[in-house]
């Protein structure tokens, strides 16, 4: 049996109706009216120690007397214990959302159990455990800060595989795998429906994550810790620069896409206008894939990516949405790099006594360039400039030892 993660206590209420077909709720309020059709318990409180956050697949079991009711759902790690707890069939994350993607709602309660909940003296117990049988099949891209946070801790605990994408992320995670290629762990985990967490502190993408995003059967992706404009761009498998144009006027978006065919272009548009924009991008520019998400709120953590012809249909409701259009042309190898001859540029600056460290740090600011790639590039450039027979160490900022 799975270990208990959290326990709530509620009471029954004479106005519990449990007729809502999309949600269920344990409210902290002590009183409700018959209009609260999703509520199945009032006066909710956490019993005993509670986790700071919850993440991953859950089993939520309600018990009153001899009656039980279990819901399987996906935790929202942005939710904090102590507030009202809503479980949704949809994937929409609001501040009071304990879990989403549920398999049952309040209307699914057995009638005998519903009758028991209408007794104000009924004591209701809700036990939350990890659903170890669920095949989540999910990639979570987490942009972390310099210090560990409780939401990251919850995501680590829920993950089947954790990837630290660069050294900074390794400082955030206290327990990592050994020196083996992370892809050796990621591939079997994804194939088995595992939950993969990729933690980064920089604008870099590791090889395993890049492979996973480019896979034909890629899993659903969540993006935590990035602004919505960057979260919607994070799903693209193309390692090319991102152009942010969230305030561009509607009539200028087509021109913008045409002028930047080898970039990921992010724009904001009314949901009602998105179908026309994407249809034009597909017909006139040859755009094949795009990502869409809500413009604000926690819903931006669950963007959708796929064929451009399907993207507009993934938008629900009104208001504005954010869209990231992938390159309109086939991206040749190395297209993410500048057209400038970087080897010649690095050589010229080194000849002017610019240090190797400064050169590497400058290259690392370019889109898709990690610090390791930049230092390796500067090292190779330094080796190419060395005269035949040179035996110096050749590392950035290294100096020959004086005899």
């Amino acid at each position: 049996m799975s270990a208990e993660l959290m326990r709530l206590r509620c009471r029954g209420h004479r106005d519990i109706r449990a007729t809502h077909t999309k949600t269920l709720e344990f409210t902290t309020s002590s009183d409700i009216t018959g209009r609260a059709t999703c509520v199945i318990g009032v006066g909710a409180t956490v019993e005993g120690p509670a986790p700071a956050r919850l993440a991953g697949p859950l089993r939520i079991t309600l018990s009153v007397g001899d009656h039980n009711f279990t819901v399987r759902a996906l935790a929202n790690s942005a939710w904090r214990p102590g507030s009202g707890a809503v479980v949704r069939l949809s994937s929409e994350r609001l501040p009071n959302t304990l879990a989403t993607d549920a398999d049952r709602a309040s209307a699914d309660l057995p009638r005998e159990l519903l009758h028991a909940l209408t007794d104000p003296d009924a004591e209701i117990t809700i036990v939350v455990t990890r659903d170890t049988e669920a095949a989540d099949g999910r990639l979570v891209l987490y942009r972390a800060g310099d210090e560990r946070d409780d939401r990251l801790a919850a995501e680590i605990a829920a993950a089947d595989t954790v990837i630290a994408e660069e050294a900074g992320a390794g400082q955030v995670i206290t327990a990592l795998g050994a020196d083996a290629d992370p892809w050796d762990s990621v591939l079997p985990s994804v194939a088995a429906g595992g939950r993969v967490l990729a933690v980064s502190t920089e604008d870099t993408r590791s090889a395993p994550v890049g492979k996973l995003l480019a896979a034909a059967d890629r899993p659903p992706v969540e993006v935590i810790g990035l602004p919505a404009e960057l979260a919607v761009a994070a799903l693209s498998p193309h390692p090319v620069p991102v152009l942010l144009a969230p305030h561009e006027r509607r009539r200028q978006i087509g021109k913008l896409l045409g002028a930047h065919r080898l970039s990921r272009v992010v724009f904001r548009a009314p949901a009602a206008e998105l179908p026309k924009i994407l249809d034009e991008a597909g017909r006139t520019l040859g755009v094949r894939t795009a990502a869409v998400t809500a413009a604000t709120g926690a819903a931006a953590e669950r963007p959708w990516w796929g064929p451009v012809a399907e993207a507009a249909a993934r938008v629900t409701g009104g208001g504005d949405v954010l869209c990231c259009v992938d390159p309109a042309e086939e991206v040749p190898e190395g297209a993410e790099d500048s057209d400038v001859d970087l080897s010649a540029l690095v050589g010229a600056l080194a000849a002017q006594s610019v240090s190797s460290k400064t050169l590497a740090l400058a290259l690392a600011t370019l889109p898709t360039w990690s610090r390791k790639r930049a230092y390796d590039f500067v090292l190779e450039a330094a080796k190419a400039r060395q005269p035949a027979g040179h035996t110096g160490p050749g590392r950035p900022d290294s100096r020959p030892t004086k005899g």
Side-chain angles (χ1 to χ4, degrees):
M1 183 177 178
S2 300
E4 183 175 311
L5 299 176
M6 183 176 67
R7 181 179 290 254
L8 302 175
R9 291 286 187 183
C10 298
R11 299 193 320 276
H13 194 281
R14 63 180 179 276
D15 286 326
I16 288 180
R17 299 288 183 265
T19 58
H20 206 291
T21 59
K22 296 182 179 180
T23 64
L24 60 84
E25 179 179 1
F26 310 109
T27 179
T28 57
S29 300
S30 59
D31 196 20
I32 59 171
T33 68
R35 298 172 60 185
T37 58
C38 64
V39 172
I40 58 175
V42 304
T45 58
V46 177
E47 183 180 70
R53 309 272 189 169
L54 295 169
L58 302 177
R59 286 181 180 267
I60 304 168
T61 301
L62 177 149
S63 301
V64 54
D66 295 330
H67 303 287
N68 297 284
F69 180 73
T70 298
V71 178
R72 302 176 74 176
L74 188 62
N76 169 26
S77 59
W79 180 82
R80 287 184 178 276
S83 61
V86 177
V87 180
R88 305 180 186 279
L89 267 66
S90 72
S91 60
E92 183 178 15
R93 286 177 171 172
L94 298 175
N96 64 348
T97 303
L98 163 64
T100 62
D101 303 273
D103 62 348
R104 306 169 92 178
S106 63
D108 297 313
L109 284 170
R111 295 302 94 182
E112 298 82 2
L113 175 55
L114 172 59
H115 179 72
L117 295 178
T118 60
D119 180 359
D121 294 327
E123 294 185 357
I124 306 167
T125 302
I126 300 98
V127 177
V128 181
T129 59
R130 194 170 306 287
D131 189 353
T132 56
E133 298 179 0
D136 191 18
R138 187 173 304 271
L139 171 64
V140 180
L141 304 178
Y142 199 110
R143 175 61 57 81
D146 294 333
E147 299 179 357
R148 175 188 286 271
D149 62 77
D150 53 10
R151 191 174 185 188
L152 175 58
E155 292 290 349
I156 292 175
D160 297 295
T161 303
V162 180
I163 304 172
E165 292 207 73
E166 82 303 298
Q171 296 172 9
V172 177
I173 303 174
T174 57
L176 296 175
D179 298 330
D181 183 350
W183 188 242
D184 294 337
S185 300
V186 175
L187 190 57
S189 180
V190 173
R195 186 180 180 93
V196 177
L197 173 67
V199 185
S200 174
T201 59
E202 300 177 357
D203 293 326
T204 58
R205 177 180 292 173
S206 66
V209 171
K211 291 179 181 179
L212 199 52
L213 289 174
D217 54 348
R218 57 185 279 172
V221 182
E222 293 183 17
V223 185
I224 300 176
L226 283 177
E229 292 83 359
L230 294 179
V232 73
L235 273 65
S236 173
H238 301 285
V240 295
V242 178
L243 176 64
L244 300 179
H247 305 297
E248 196 64 64
R249 294 182 179 180
R250 159 72 179 86
R251 61 179 179 271
Q252 297 297 324
I253 292 176
K255 296 180 180 179
L256 191 69
L257 297 177
H260 298 274
R261 291 173 176 265
L262 294 180
S263 298
R264 289 174 284 166
V265 180
V266 177
F267 61 88
R268 184 181 184 127
E273 296 184 8
L274 188 61
K276 184 176 181 180
I277 295 173
L278 293 181
D279 180 63
E280 292 177 354
R283 285 188 296 101
T284 63
L285 301 177
V287 172
R288 293 177 297 280
T289 52
V292 291
T293 188
T296 57
E301 295 180 349
R302 311 274 300 264
W304 178 91
W305 178 90
V308 68
E310 301 177 17
R314 299 289 175 163
V315 177
T316 58
D320 286 357
V321 296
L322 286 168
C323 180
C324 176
V325 173
D326 282 337
E329 298 179 3
E330 192 68 29
V331 181
E333 185 176 357
E336 70 270 22
D337 299 331
S338 169
D339 291 333
V340 175
D341 185 342
L342 292 180
S343 296
L345 179 61
V346 167
L349 292 173
Q352 297 298 318
S353 300
V354 177
S355 72
S356 297
K357 180 178 181 181
T358 298
L359 292 172
L361 291 177
L363 286 175
T365 65
L366 295 174
T368 76
W369 279 69
S370 66
R371 290 187 179 182
K372 182 180 184 304
R373 179 184 178 188
Y375 271 90
D376 287 345
F377 184 88
V378 172
L379 174 61
E380 291 301 319
K383 288 181 178 179
R385 295 193 304 272
Q386 291 171 359
H390 179 78
T391 58
R395 298 296 303 177
D397 276 346
S398 63
R399 298 289 186 270
T401 303
K402 294 182 179 180

